[in-house]
Amino acid sequence: MVSTGRKITVFAITAAALLALFFVAVNTGSLQMTPEQLVSGLFVEYDDTVATIYDLRFPRIFIAMVGGAALAVSGALLQAVIRNPLADPGIIGVSSGASLAAVLVTAFAPALYYFTPLFAFAGGLIAFGLVYSLSWRGGLSPLRVILVGVAVSAPCSPASPARSAQARAARCRAWPASWTPTSP
């Protein structure tokens, strides 16, 4: 078991690294400022540069932070539910199921192209449901979940290269339409 002091130390280091990366993200771009200028412009007196950074960069930075935290929590929850520290969507077949659904929608129903993320989500859910139902035998064994996940992932995996090949073929078909020969 990890001691409380060690947990506090790790949390403090992680929080300091997040704060440092926040200031790096604020200074990425053409407008740059020191942390003192940023705090002064936010809380003491109005500054046009700080207002620009506040309006344009802060929303992106906070959305990136929240998105990263959500991904971390979802990964930890997946590992806790399956009781396996190796569990991730690629190993248990969720990513492959989502990719297969996206390829099938793109190939056989191109009019539904804008709904591809929704179908990919449904494909991932179906793949996880399949893995969960096939690995259930009086309870879940972490090893069985991983093995069944790899087995479900295997037939779905060729969908990813098929999707990239499909995109290349679409670009090749579009190229002659935009190409106009020049006369010598």
Side-chain angles (χ1 to χ4, degrees):
M1 196 70 190
V2 181
S3 68
T4 305
R6 182 173 169 92
K7 288 180 186 178
I8 291 172
T9 304
V10 168
F11 180 78
I13 291 171
T14 305
L18 182 64
L19 189 63
L21 287 174
F22 173 80
F23 284 115
V24 168
V26 164
N27 283 319
T28 301
S30 60
L31 299 174
Q32 296 182 357
M33 62 181 47
T34 65
E36 294 83 20
Q37 288 174 319
L38 181 65
V39 171
S40 172
L42 286 175
F43 301 114
V44 178
E45 65 183 72
Y46 181 81
D47 185 3
D48 285 335
T49 306
V50 173
T52 302
I53 288 176
Y54 179 78
D55 289 339
L56 298 179
R57 292 186 191 161
F58 273 31
R60 293 182 204 154
I61 293 168
F62 287 126
I63 288 172
M65 287 176 158
V66 170
L71 287 173
V73 168
S74 69
L77 286 175
L78 180 67
Q79 291 175 349
V81 166
I82 296 178
R83 294 183 320 231
N84 192 328
L86 295 177
D88 79 334
I91 290 178
I92 62 171
V94 175
S95 298
S96 297
S99 178
L100 177 65
V103 167
L104 291 176
V105 166
T106 306
F108 297 115
L112 299 174
Y113 176 76
Y114 293 108
F115 296 104
T116 302
L118 186 64
F119 285 106
F121 179 74
L125 282 178
I126 290 169
F128 182 73
L130 185 63
V131 168
Y132 195 80
S133 64
L134 288 175
S135 61
W136 184 271
R137 187 168 294 166
L140 282 178
S141 164
L143 180 63
R144 192 178 312 132
V145 171
I146 296 296
L147 291 175
V148 171
V150 170
V152 167
S153 178
C156 298
S157 292
S160 182
R163 184 156 171 81
S164 62
Q166 200 175 36
R168 280 195 305 271
R171 284 194 305 267
C172 290
R173 282 193 302 270
W175 178 70
S178 65
W179 178 67
T180 55
T182 57
S183 58

